Every structure is written in structure tokens, then in C-alpha cells.
Amino acid sequence: MRLRDIASFRPAAPVNDMEPGGWAVQGLPANFVAAASVQVVSGTLLGQPADVRFTPVGYRWIHSDGGLVVNGGPGATWAALGQAEFTDTPTSHTYAAAGEFAVELEVVLSAEYRFAGSAWRPIAGTLAISSGPQRVLVGQFDTVLTNGDCIANPAGPGC
């Protein structure tokens, strides 16, 4: 059995999420998290009713600024990792310039098949499915230190 034999069995596209939602700060990490799980797709294979099971085995985030993040897992939110926002994660990416960019998630899947509830049998090779491009707006932000409330004291230091 080969991957081309199961071409009619289509797994669902993965979901690409990011923190913060759809935007990033130039020079600070943006965190990317994939949503992909094991999927069983039923159909006909070699004229017989069959199931194909797709299992995520790798994740690639391809950034339009030339960045590539490859990871064995889907990533996790900063909260789930117990990390502060804008800290590095295994799936984060830092944009060097402001502008509008795109990021595309590819999930690498292994596949197995079975006929009529028999044991799962592996299919040689892997296949990649894409989330399609996601827009990321990257801005440049400056912080200003003030001494107190600038509305109450507009002439104060930093106001």
C-alpha cells in the first residue's frame, strides 16, 4: 500500500492559531499553536470498505519573511506553558521588521489503513497538509516611562 493509493481519503486541514491573535510586535516572539489530531477517514480502498487513520507526526510554520519553525509537537499557549506573553517558545517566531506577513502551517501526517475493522497496517511515507496562509500584522511599538498619571499631570516627566 502506498500514499497514492489513499489519495481519495482526505484529512481535514489543520488550524493555525497564534498569540497575540493576528498581530505581533517587531523584535518580540509571536507564539504559534496548531490544532491537528488523529483522524480516521472511511471510504473504499481497492474496492473494499476501509478506514485510513492519519496521525500528526510533525509541524512546520513557514513564514513569508523567510523564517521556518519545525517542531515535533503542535505548540501550546503561553498560559499552558506557564510563560509570560512575548517569551520564546519552541513554536514562536520573531519578526525583524514591521509590515504585513503571512504564515502557513503544514502538518506532517503518517497514515495507516485497515479493512473491515482488521488491524491497522502502516503506509510507507508521510504527507503534509496545509492550513493555508494566515495574515500577521507586525507593528513597531515603543514604551514610554512616566512618573505618574499624564492625564492628571500632563507636564510630568515622560508625559
Side-chain angles (χ1 to χ4, degrees), residues 46-103:
L46 304 174
Q48 306 258 349
D51 297 316
V52 175
R53 179 168 60 189
F54 296 97
T55 303
V57 295
Y59 300 81
R60 294 188 289 248
W61 287 266
I62 304 156
H63 298 271
S64 64
D65 68 347
L68 175 66
V69 176
V70 178
N71 200 47
T77 64
W78 283 311
L81 294 169
Q83 292 183 218
E85 293 180 333
F86 301 106
T87 58
D88 234 355
T89 70
T91 58
S92 65
H93 178 68
T94 301
Y95 293 92
E100 188 173 320
F101 299 93
V103 59

Side-chain angles (χ1 to χ4, degrees), residues 125-144:
T126 59
L127 67 128
I129 58 172
S130 172
S131 65
Q134 175 183 358
R135 179 179 169 256
V136 180
L137 184 60
V138 179
Q140 185 178 39
F141 295 91
D142 294 317
T143 58
V144 177

